[in-house]
Amino acid sequence: MNIFIITTGIMLSQNQFARAYGDTSNDCAYSIVQTSDGGYAVAGWTKSFGAGSADFLVLKLDASGNLIWAKTFGGTSADSAFSLAQTVDGGYIVAGVTYSFGAGRSDILVIKLNSLGNLSWARTIGGLGSERAYSILQNPDTSYILAGRTNSHDTTNTNYLVVKLSSSGGLIWAKTYGDTVWENAHSIARTSDGGYVIAGRRVAGSGPGDCLIIKLGSAGNYQNGKIIGGTGEDYAYSILQTADSGYVIAGYTESFGSSSDLMIVKL
């Protein structure tokens, strides 16, 4: 695949650059990681290339932002990648949403690539409703954990969905978390006790949303949760565990500050 590259800034040094990657239609990146060779891997979606209205787009760049390879994955309908991680074998695991494949209106699509961007395996996860994955990572035992949302079990509500896969993409377990309201998990991180912490959004009725943080054990068992927010709209997009075993959350708030502001919370 050929990809059109526009340099949008002056290269200040070998490792400072600003570039756009795409062509004549819409293209978007959602996730970037630094790779073991000092370069970068990027995942998102493209309407400029591929088979459908939007396809997974994965780019491999060197340390100066030069394109090494670019790959699209998808079908005739819309498919979007939201999260990417490099795997211990030097390849990549990518997760998002597909409208081209699967059992329902939309399903989670997970693809495993080798170091050259070639497809090792792909699988869809979902029921008759709608599912999507916003965050994926590899565990120390080479299994994978992902977080997103589902409404297949209850079409009137959307709940957190967390799925654990084997290194070959086999289902180990899948669990939902939430109430009779709307919840969407946007970020998952491993914790020092071998469990996970998840951040996202919870909306009750017609009111504004709040940040919803939940802590899980290694087997996905619910341990505790916390709602953070005020009278306006509040949303957690990213979470990490800190060196003191607490957590830091990034998102936005309409409850505090002026208008809509960036929000950082330390727990």
Side-chain angles (χ1 to χ4, degrees), residues 106-242:
S106 66
D107 275 7
I108 292 168
L109 176 61
V110 181
I111 62 173
K112 173 66 174 68
L113 309 179
N114 66 16
S115 60
L116 300 177
N118 298 318
L119 185 66
S120 299
W121 53 260
R123 74 162 297 155
T124 59
I125 302 165
L128 297 179
S130 297
E131 284 80 28
R132 58 180 56 200
Y134 286 108
S135 184
I136 192 166
L137 56 87
Q138 188 172 41
N139 291 311
D141 64 358
T142 72
S143 65
Y144 303 102
I145 195 82
L146 65 86
R149 74 184 193 204
T150 179
N151 73 349
S152 288
H153 64 300
D154 181 356
T155 57
T156 61
N157 300 293
T158 298
N159 291 142
Y160 278 22
L161 173 65
V162 179
V163 179
K164 187 174 183 180
L165 302 176
S166 70
S167 59
S168 59
L171 181 65
I172 297 175
W173 51 257
K175 299 189 179 186
T176 61
Y177 311 87
D179 204 344
T180 55
V181 296
W182 189 94
E183 291 109 356
N184 181 33
H186 207 89
S187 179
I188 188 168
R190 278 186 57 83
T191 53
S192 56
D193 62 359
Y196 308 96
V197 65
I198 303 166
R201 181 173 181 246
R202 178 183 188 273
V203 180
S206 59
D210 290 323
C211 302
L212 175 61
I213 313 302
I214 65 171
K215 174 68 176 67
L216 305 179
S218 60
N221 50 302
Y222 176 85
Q223 293 183 333
N224 58 67
K226 185 173 184 65
I227 296 172
I228 302 169
T231 57
E233 189 77 22
D234 306 293
Y235 202 143
Y237 279 109
S238 185
I239 189 166
L240 293 172
Q241 189 171 42
T242 52

